[in-house]
């Protein structure tokens, strides 16, 4: 079974700082990769996804992620965070074919200080 | 703007009572998922349906939980009898899955508190 590790439980940054959240997965086959964001008290919203093609994926709100197959990683980045980015971020993986279930990481809580 | 809807949004009940949560997937989506979110375990997949057929319910305690999809516009998750350890936020998600394509859209969740 696949698993997802998010290295940081809680990250605290000042506004305008750069962000990188780590995500590693364990699964030997083709994968689909996702980053979801959950604002306080709200449901999960898709930030970006990778199915195939260019390993550098751009999402909404200025976020991007890079799929590095050799490292089984899909790290999330943003060059300059804003206070409104305060939320919890979840990395998720799904097998590329045959199963549609998502396995989520434990999440990383991001707090941005004005 | 199509959205997944869930009812109720909040439910407080006493141990031993039956709880039914409902989900209306986005029209045209063929796959529905039920997740549970807790502080300790994070997000866990309970069950999912594709074209209304249950594909995987291995994450669900079968003695008390049941999931059904009586028609394409309604999915239900039932707990009977409920226990305090069932307290969590239950999310429904839907997606249009085909081949290797799998993108899920989440509902607002049902916050369940079992006293």
């Amino acid at each position: 079974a696949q698993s997802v590790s998010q290295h940081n439980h809680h990250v605290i940054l000042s506004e305008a700082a750069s962000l990188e959240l780590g995500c590693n997965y364990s699964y030997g086959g083709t994968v689909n990769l996702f980053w979801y964001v959950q604002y306080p008290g709200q449901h999960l919203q898709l930030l970006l996804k990778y199915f195939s093609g260019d390993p550098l994926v751009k999402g909404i709100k200025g976020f991007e992620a890079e799929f590095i197959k050799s490292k089984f990683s899909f790290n999330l980045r943003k060059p300059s965070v804003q206070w409104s980015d305060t939320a919890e971020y979840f990395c998720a993986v799904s097998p590329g074919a045959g199963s549609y279930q998502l396995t989520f990481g434990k999440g990383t809580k991001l707090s941005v200080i004005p | 703007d199509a959205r997944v809807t869930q009812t109720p949004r909040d439910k407080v009940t006493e141990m031993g009572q039956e709880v039914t949560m409902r989900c209306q997937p986005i029209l045209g989506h063929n796959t529905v998922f039920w997740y549970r979110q807790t502080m300790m375990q994070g997000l866990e997949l309970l069950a999912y349906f594709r074209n209304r057929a249950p594909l995987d319910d291995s994450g669900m305690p079968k003695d008390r939980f049941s999931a059904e999809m009586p028609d394409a516009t309604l999915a239900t998750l039932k707990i009977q009898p409920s226990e305090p350890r069932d307290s969590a936020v239950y999310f429904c998600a839907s997606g249009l899955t085909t081949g290797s394509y799998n993108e899920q859209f989440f509902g607002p969740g049902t916050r369940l508190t079992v006293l």
Side-chain angles (χ1 to χ4, degrees), chain B residues 30-105:
Chain B
N30 62 353
T31 311
V32 174
F33 305 82
W34 282 105
Y35 292 90
R36 175 170 63 183
Q37 186 178 37
T38 62
M39 290 289 291
M40 293 299 296
Q41 300 297 326
L43 273 157
E44 305 171 281
L45 177 69
L46 295 175
Y48 80 98
F49 296 78
R50 188 164 187 262
N51 297 322
R52 294 179 56 203
L55 285 196
D56 189 341
D57 62 0
S58 58
M60 202 165 67
K62 308 248 188 348
D63 56 337
R64 298 183 299 107
F65 284 59
S66 61
E68 295 181 348
M69 199 160 177
D71 63 58
T73 64
L74 177 64
T76 63
L77 180 66
K78 189 175 295 186
I79 308 175
Q80 166 66 355
S82 57
E83 297 180 2
R85 61 181 167 151
D86 301 329
S87 297
V89 181
Y90 291 81
F91 287 104
C92 174
S94 73
L96 181 60
T97 59
T98 175
S100 62
Y101 182 82
N102 170 22
E103 180 176 343
Q104 299 179 23
F105 297 81

Side-chain angles (χ1 to χ4, degrees), chain A residues 11-66:
Chain A
V11 172
I12 302 173
L13 294 174
S14 298
E15 275 193 316
S18 64
L19 169 71
E20 181 160 1
L21 301 182
C23 172
N24 285 89
Y25 65 93
S26 66
Y27 185 72
T30 303
V31 291
N32 295 335
L33 296 158
F34 306 82
W35 276 98
Y36 281 86
V37 60
Q38 187 176 30
Y39 297 102
Q42 296 191 25
H43 62 289
L44 278 81
Q45 301 172 45
L46 183 67
L47 268 181
L48 48 78
K49 59 186 183 283
Y50 172 82
F51 290 145
S52 64
D54 189 345
L56 184 61
V57 179
K58 294 194 184 300
I60 61 171
K61 306 188 183 198
F63 286 91
E64 65 177 32
E66 185 175 11

